[in-house]
Amino acid sequence: MISAEMLASFAKVAETLSVGRSAIALKVTKSVVSKRIAQLEAHLGVTLFSRSTRRIVLTSAGEIYLEHARRALAELHAAEELLLASRSEIKGPIRITAPVSWGQRVLCKLLPEFLKMHPGIQIELTLADRMVDIAFERFDLALRWSASLPKQDLVSTPIAKIDWLLTASPSYLALQDEPKTPEDLAHHSTLFYWREPSDQWWVMSAGQSQRRIPVKSRYHVDNPEAVLEACLQGLGIAQLPDYLCAQAISDGQLRQMLPGWIQQTRFGNLITALAPPERMRNLRNRLLIDFLSQSGGANPLKPLNL
């Protein structure tokens, strides 16, 4: 069995290219480091280092394994932090910004449970669809659509999966033929969330097939809740995130169309957490990210599996 000590010794020697310096850093003897690496190589059945009297270098197998070893060590360290945190109360504020509709419909229902689990933590939540400057406005985390690519100085991690559904009300479909193919959408009234030149086309895929359909609308709003209301009132066909329309579909207020086709919107299909690297490593923030990921943040009907 591979132990954490074997991985740590391997990663340290790969970093220093010296058994002696690695032994000093790990506070063990050189013979212990050499033994751990020999045990790891024997278990894997490969040679991880090429050794000579003057130097030690990674083999091609060692280079491949190093990335996995570092990732495993990082996971072990994170798990250790969480276990230590469970023995003592974590305190302090977490400043968060999140999209308005997802924040109202999903996040606001999850945060009270998190606060009950961690009485020492305070949450400051700002709901906004605009792209905030995390550093300037001193946010710890920004929860954003996955299409919002992080800047180079930010890192991201997935929080929740979002499915976009094509929906219309029974009252609208009573007056219009229900679309049977994506091409039929070109003859329907559609509802737009935001408005950019790319919104003149809806893109959807099924297996290896992809369609790019020209669509038209006379109603454009910058809030998905308003799109939902217009859709409920029979104004047209909408692309809506599942957390926003799943209940209306279940209640019969809306009908899903072309269920075999996946809607490709410019917002992406994930909610991600964005933060500078040092804030992403903060234990309070990690506790919240792990909680949201495990809570099925897309909607309570469908847990997240990433």
Side-chain angles (χ1 to χ4, degrees):
M1 179 180 294
I2 297 175
S3 67
E5 290 79 9
M6 292 180 195
L7 293 177
S9 295
F10 166 63
K12 184 57 68 175
V13 173
E15 175 188 336
T16 64
L17 299 179
S18 167
V19 173
R21 289 196 293 272
S22 299
I24 293 173
L26 296 171
K27 299 181 181 179
V28 296
T29 64
K30 290 196 295 183
S31 62
V32 168
V33 173
S34 297
K35 181 180 179 181
R36 289 174 179 172
I37 292 176
Q39 290 173 330
L40 182 60
E41 290 178 324
H43 181 85
L44 296 173
V46 298
T47 300
L48 299 172
F49 292 103
S50 176
R51 303 165 178 85
S52 69
T53 55
R54 292 188 175 183
R55 63 175 188 163
I56 180 171
V57 295
L58 281 167
T59 63
S60 57
E63 291 177 349
I64 293 172
Y65 192 66
L66 179 59
E67 180 182 349
H68 298 280
R70 285 173 171 166
R71 189 158 53 238
L73 287 168
E75 291 292 334
L76 287 171
H77 180 68
E80 181 181 356
E81 279 193 334
L82 289 175
L83 286 175
L84 291 173
S86 67
R87 300 177 188 174
S88 59
E89 184 179 358
I90 304 300
K91 299 179 180 180
I94 306 176
R95 299 194 69 236
I96 314 166
T97 178
V100 176
S101 68
W102 185 79
Q104 291 174 331
R105 293 286 185 124
V106 179
L107 186 61
C108 287
K109 296 180 181 178
L110 297 174
L111 289 180
E113 181 181 351
F114 177 77
L115 289 172
K116 290 176 184 177
M117 294 169 58
H118 303 282
I121 291 179
Q122 303 94 45
I123 296 289
E124 297 179 26
L125 174 63
T126 297
L127 298 181
D129 287 332
R130 64 183 177 87
M131 294 299 295
V132 303
D133 186 322
I134 298 176
F136 180 75
E137 299 186 47
R138 298 185 179 180
F139 283 106
D140 294 297
L141 293 173
L143 305 180
R144 287 291 168 222
W145 297 102
S146 55
S148 305
L149 297 177
K151 298 179 181 178
Q152 291 185 349
D153 57 345
L154 300 177
V155 294
S156 66
T157 187
I159 291 295
K161 187 176 184 299
I162 305 296
D163 288 330
W164 290 82
L165 307 180
L166 200 65
T167 64
S169 69
S171 62
Y172 175 82
L173 296 175
L175 301 175
Q176 304 286 340
D177 291 334
E178 181 172 343
K180 298 297 190 295
T181 69
E183 287 74 15
D184 292 340
L185 293 171
H187 309 294
H188 282 267
S189 295
T190 56
L191 302 170
F192 285 179
Y193 171 40
W194 292 97
R195 176 68 186 270
E196 288 189 356
S198 61
D199 290 331
Q200 297 177 20
W201 303 85
W202 279 358
V203 179
M204 54 195 71
S205 61
Q208 298 300 315
S209 299
Q210 187 176 84
R211 298 288 187 273
R212 189 167 180 261
I213 310 301
V215 290
K216 56 185 181 297
S217 175
R218 58 191 181 92
Y219 190 53
H220 315 93
V221 292
D222 64 356
N223 182 281
E225 296 276 357
V227 176
L228 171 64
E229 183 59 35
C231 192
L232 287 169
Q233 294 195 33
L235 204 57
I237 297 175
Q239 288 178 326
L240 290 170
D242 53 358
Y243 66 81
L244 202 57
C245 64
Q247 190 60 54
I249 292 174
S250 178
D251 294 342
Q253 295 177 286
L254 292 177
R255 279 165 52 185
Q256 182 183 358
M257 292 163 296
L258 304 177
W261 291 86
I262 298 173
Q263 309 301 305
Q264 308 285 347
T265 77
R266 61 187 172 88
F267 300 101
N269 66 348
L270 292 172
I271 295 290
T272 59
L274 302 176
E278 68 278 4
R279 295 185 190 177
M280 192 65 81
R281 290 192 294 266
N282 179 278
L283 187 53
R284 292 192 303 274
N285 299 339
R286 288 304 319 172
L287 284 172
L288 177 59
I289 289 171
D290 291 343
F291 168 79
L292 293 175
S293 298
Q294 295 164 12
S295 297
N299 62 62
L301 304 176
K302 181 183 58 184
L304 172 66
N305 292 304
L306 291 175

